[in-house]
Amino acid sequence: MLSAQERAQVAQVWDLIAGHEAPFGAELLVRLFTVFPTTKTYFGHLGSCLDEVALLNHGQRMLMAVGVAVQYMDCLRAALAPLATMHAQMLRVDPANFALLSHCFQVVLASHLQDEFTVEMHAAWDKFLAEVAEVMSEQYR
Amino acid sequence: MVHLTAEEKALVTGLWGKVKVDEFGGEALGRLLVVYPWTQRFFDSFGDLSSADAVMGNPKVKAHGAKVLQSMGDGIKNLDNLKGTFSKLSELHCDKLHVDPENFRLLGNVLVCVLARHFGKDFTPAAQAAFQKVVVGVANALAAKYH
C-alpha cells in the first residue's frame, strides 16, 4: 500500500509524463528490447524491426495504461482488471517480465528527471510499479 | 564470465571514466537501503537509517558505498575474469556476511538507475544494456563461491 506521500510522488512525476506518453513509451520499449532481448518474443514485428511508428503507437498505449493506474491508485485492481485479464488469458506474458519493464521504466525516469529523480521518488515508483505488476499477475491462475 | 562486444566494452569504460566512484557508490548504496528497506538488515552497526535523509547523509553508508563501487571498478578492469576478481569477496559475503545474492542483483539495478540519473541522455539503451551485462556478471561472480 502506498502512503499519501508516495502517492503524491507518483502523481507529481506523472504530471511531467502526461502528454508525452508516446515518446516515453517508445523509449521504454527500446530499452526493454535492447537490454532484455527475451522480451521481444512477445512483440512479433514490433520486437524484431524496431519500427519507429509502431514503437510510438504501442509505447503510447502502454503509458496511457500506466496513466490509468496512476489515476486510480486507490483501486488498482478494478481499474486494471481488463488489462490483467488480457495479459493472463490472451497475451500470456510471463509475469517475470513485469519486473524487467518496471526496471526499464525507472531508468527512463532517472535519465529524464535526473536531479528530480530523488530517492523518495525512486522508492515510490518502484513500489507503485511493483503493485501494478502484482495486480497484472493476479489472474494468471 | 560476461561477454561484452568491443562496442559494449567501449561504452562501459567510456562512461566509467566519468563516474565519481565515491559519490555514486554512496548514492547507490543509500538508494538500495531506502528503496528496498529490508536490505538494511546487513547494516545494523551503521547508525541512523530511520529516514531517507538519514540514510543518504549517513557517513558509514557513503563510505561503504564508495568501497563497493571501487570493487565494481576493479571488475570493470577485469571483465574477462570476474570470477577470479571477486573470488575472495564471494567467500566473504557467503561465509562471514551471509548476504543473499539476490541483494547483488538489487544493488546492480539501483546502480544502473544512478548512472541513468547522472548521465541522462548519454545513458543510451545500448549503454544500459552493456552495464546490465556488467552488473549481472559481477552479481554472478559474487555468488560463485556460495555453498
Side-chain angles (χ1 to χ4, degrees), chain A residues 6-22:
Chain A
E6 286 164 341
R7 284 168 205 221
Q9 296 276 3
V10 171
Q12 188 187 338
V13 167
W14 197 255
D15 282 343
L16 301 167
I17 296 180
H20 307 283
E21 288 88 348

Side-chain angles (χ1 to χ4, degrees), chain A residues 65-126:
Chain A
V66 176
V68 166
V70 171
Q71 201 185 350
Y72 295 103
M73 266 186 279
D74 291 337
C75 48
L76 270 184
R77 210 159 263 116
L80 296 178
L83 264 183
T85 307
M86 185 171 81
H87 281 72
Q89 291 171 14
M90 204 174 93
L91 303 175
R92 289 174 290 187
V93 174
D94 192 295
N97 291 282
F98 298 139
L100 305 181
L101 187 70
S102 162
H103 174 61
C104 287
F105 200 109
Q106 289 171 63
V107 173
V108 171
L109 290 180
S111 74
H112 282 266
L113 297 174
Q114 293 197 266
D115 284 344
E116 287 168 38
F117 192 62
T118 61
V119 61
E120 290 90 347
M121 204 163 269
H122 185 168
W125 270 87
D126 188 273

